[in-house]
Amino acid sequence: MPGRATAAGSEPTMAGDEQRQINRDSLFMLACLRTSDRDPVHRVKIRNLSSGGLMAEGDMRVAAGMVLEVELRNVGWVAGSVAWVQGNRCGIAFNEEIDPKSVRAAQTAPDDSGFVPMRPLAAVKQVDPGQLRKV
């Protein structure tokens, strides 16, 4: 996903009229991003995802061409590189394709920290509002 430079020496940016080679699904999910094993992990918001990459938003300092890893739910750490940067958003191209459906699937087992996520709202039993007590 090559970007277009806006001026000599500036970061490549994503132009609105560029065609995507891979369909991307819009979503909102939190993930972790790191540029090396020694650098701190940054929390980012994933705005869209495909088998070949994603768009992340957050307070991380990255530049086009930078190598990094993103930790995705149910997949783990995925290596890739920054394809474009625009403000606090960037496009990341994965080195190897992933299954985006597995990232979207609910996590059912504890992660490394022992945290078990809440069940999806659809799985929660609905309660009659008349049975609730006021506090």
Side-chain angles (χ1 to χ4, degrees):
M1 49 204 274
R4 207 178 286 162
T6 56
S10 68
E11 296 293 331
T13 59
M14 189 65 150
D17 61 345
E18 291 188 30
Q19 296 291 320
R20 296 235 185 254
Q21 295 175 350
I22 301 172
N23 290 333
R24 294 181 183 270
D25 294 328
S26 293
L27 74 150
F28 179 82
M29 176 182 296
L30 293 175
C32 292
L33 178 145
R34 66 183 178 198
T35 55
S36 78
D37 289 337
R38 288 173 261 128
D39 287 343
V41 173
H42 301 277
R43 297 288 285 177
V44 295
K45 298 171 190 167
I46 304 302
R47 295 295 185 175
N48 63 46
L49 176 71
S50 75
S51 60
L54 58 80
M55 179 173 67
E57 178 181 327
D59 294 330
M60 67 283 178
R61 294 189 184 263
V62 294
M66 182 179 282
V67 174
L68 49 72
E69 293 179 307
V70 179
E71 186 178 31
L72 299 174
R73 179 176 64 198
N74 298 326
V75 174
W77 289 99
V78 179
S81 60
V82 178
W84 57 268
V85 177
Q86 188 171 23
N88 67 342
R89 293 183 178 194
C90 69
I92 298 171
F94 300 143
N95 292 351
E96 296 182 20
E97 288 191 358
I98 64 157
D99 178 8
K101 290 180 183 177
S102 65
V103 177
R104 289 178 169 275
Q107 185 176 356
T108 56
D111 63 16
D112 292 340
S113 68
F115 171 77
V116 178
M118 294 175 55
R119 295 176 294 173
L121 287 178
V124 176
K125 180 182 174 188
Q126 296 297 316
V127 177
D128 178 8
Q131 295 177 334
L132 299 175
R133 95 185 140 105
K134 292 183 180 178
V135 185

